[in-house]
Amino acid sequence: MIEPVGGVVDELMASLDALAAEDLAPLFGPALLERLRPLLAAQNRLAAEIARTVRECEVSGAAAGDGLKSMGSWLCGHGHLSAREAARVVRTGRALEHLPAMAAAFAADEVTGGQAAVIGRVAEPEHLAAAAEQDVDLGVVDALLTGVAVTAPHADTAKAVHHYLDRLDEDGPEPDPTEGRRLVITRHGDGSITGRFDLDAVGGEKLQAALESLVQAGRGAGDERSRAQQSADALVQLCDNQLAAGSLPILRGHKPQVIVKIDAEDLVDPATGRGAADMGFGATISAARARWLACDGNITRIVMDPDGMPLDHGRTVRLFPPHVRRAAEVRDGGCVFTGCAAPTWWCDVHHLLAWIDGGATDLDNAALLCERHHTKVHHGFRVERQPDGRWRTWRPDGTEILIGPGRTGPPLATAA
């Protein structure tokens, strides 16, 4: 093992061990913040040293010693960084050579790693070439942008860099917005996903406009969810609307659809049955969630032999046929959960008495519920239609949800 020069890195690691061993329980409020401030400063200075070292590794071809062709791949394989983060560190290291003011501020904890990466864009080869052609003094640009980063938030730094790059290519062709758009989805062990996307200004505006329309239309009384939760629900609702509309491109001879595979025994069993159903893209969900999806879906019976080969595939049956759904839409006018104003096209048709328990697939046993409140009803809440056409909603503890003193909502028309 090669010892670091002067053992500085060893001392640093020992100091980090000592920090990790400190008991934070006795600290509170101001004391915790005072501890945090120098840690953030140390993080920024370490980021600067990492970028500087990565650049030296790149120049000397150090990655080849470990059998890799680039520092980006080395950072992914040995540092466990994402490809995006590895590329950011490499780009920042390269930028330090061309932007000495930014490099000095970065090393002195006056600029964060994120800001350094943003400013580093001006040192990308194509931008350096454009600046040279126009006799731009890069030293002045370096000083100005670094000054913004030192005194202003990250967003202001990004705006300043964007302004410079726009002026640098003021007469150039309008860039193709599709070239910079990216969407990366990562699936986790439980089937959930996280993702990251990059959109141009116009594409981003379209997405925000679409999501905002659903967020504002779906704001019910007493909705205390965070903005992030509301936006995520709106994104799922966009997908629901498109899938239900049937206007998406045909995929291998079929309209796009959510597919769930579950054994008949698990589907009939009223227990939750975690990990009982497999979805089309590889996620695993509970039998209870599968039963919920089946409320307003198609079911195909497939009989398998002991070797897993299909023996018989019965006719696909739509639980709620189109004419019953249309009648429910006319009767209910939208989600029937008290206090919700979700429109009909956001809603599933829910069996008041589960079809697996013998509930009929007809209008009398149907209720329109949006995704959020369909979930609630499958987790202990209850909706019930009164003889006068009113819908009432009860919590799992048996108390009724009211929208005002003694009120349960307006009467609803009865379908002919």
Side-chain angles (χ1 to χ4, degrees), residues 157-181:
T157 306
K159 287 180 181 177
V161 170
H162 180 70
H163 179 79
Y164 165 73
L165 295 178
D166 268 356
R167 296 299 177 271
L168 191 64
D169 190 28
E170 199 169 57
D171 298 324
E174 183 66 20
D176 180 352
T178 64
E179 291 296 324
R181 292 176 184 165

Side-chain angles (χ1 to χ4, degrees), residues 115-373:
Q115 289 175 311
V118 170
I119 296 174
R121 291 187 60 205
V122 308
E124 292 175 358
E126 64 271 25
H127 299 146
L128 288 176
E133 289 175 3
Q134 299 174 47
D135 295 324
V136 173
D137 188 337
L138 194 62
V140 173
V141 174
D142 178 21
L144 289 173
L145 293 177
T146 300
V148 173
V150 169
T151 59
H154 183 281
D156 291 346
T157 306
K159 287 180 181 177
V161 170
H162 180 70
H163 179 79
Y164 165 73
L165 295 178
D166 268 356
R167 296 299 177 271
L168 191 64
D169 190 28
E170 199 169 57
D171 298 324
E174 183 66 20
D176 180 352
T178 64
E179 291 296 324
R181 292 176 184 165
R182 296 178 183 84
L183 172 61
V184 179
I185 296 175
T186 302
R187 182 176 299 282
H188 304 293
D190 62 354
S192 63
I193 65 171
T194 54
R196 181 183 180 91
F197 63 85
D198 295 290
L199 296 178
D200 61 288
V202 175
E205 189 71 16
K206 291 178 180 179
L207 177 63
Q208 291 179 89
L211 292 179
E212 188 65 20
S213 69
L214 294 175
V215 167
Q216 295 302 325
R219 291 180 64 185
D223 188 350
E224 297 180 353
R225 292 174 297 158
S226 69
R227 176 70 187 197
Q229 290 173 311
Q230 292 174 351
S231 296
D233 281 348
L235 182 59
V236 173
Q237 190 64 57
L238 275 177
C239 298
D240 279 345
N241 292 352
Q242 277 300 108
L243 289 168
S247 58
L248 290 172
I250 298 298
L251 183 65
R252 295 184 180 179
H254 298 278
K255 292 181 179 179
Q257 54 194 303
V258 173
I259 297 174
V260 182
K261 181 177 69 176
I262 185 171
D263 289 341
E265 294 81 2
D266 291 320
L267 190 61
V268 174
D269 188 344
T272 300
R274 299 196 180 281
D278 296 322
M279 301 193 74
F281 282 95
T284 301
I285 61 174
S286 68
R289 187 70 186 272
R291 285 190 289 273
W292 163 35
L293 291 172
C295 266
D296 194 19
N298 298 331
I299 289 185
T300 301
R301 176 181 58 86
I302 300 177
V303 180
M304 313 289 284
D305 70 12
D307 296 323
M309 296 299 293
L311 293 176
D312 174 59
H313 45 89
R315 180 172 67 89
T316 296
V317 177
R318 173 78 183 178
L319 290 187
F320 274 106
H323 71 278
V324 175
R325 180 181 175 93
R326 285 195 295 271
E329 290 177 349
V330 171
R331 183 195 68 188
D332 297 342
C335 179
V336 302
F337 199 97
T338 299
C340 184
T344 57
W345 56 90
W346 289 15
C347 296
D348 301 325
V349 186
H350 167 71
H351 286 78
L352 295 173
L353 175 63
W355 62 271
I356 205 70
D357 295 327
T361 302
D362 57 24
L363 186 60
D364 289 339
N365 194 41
L368 288 187
L369 290 168
C370 69
E371 183 197 29
R372 175 172 171 78
H373 292 129

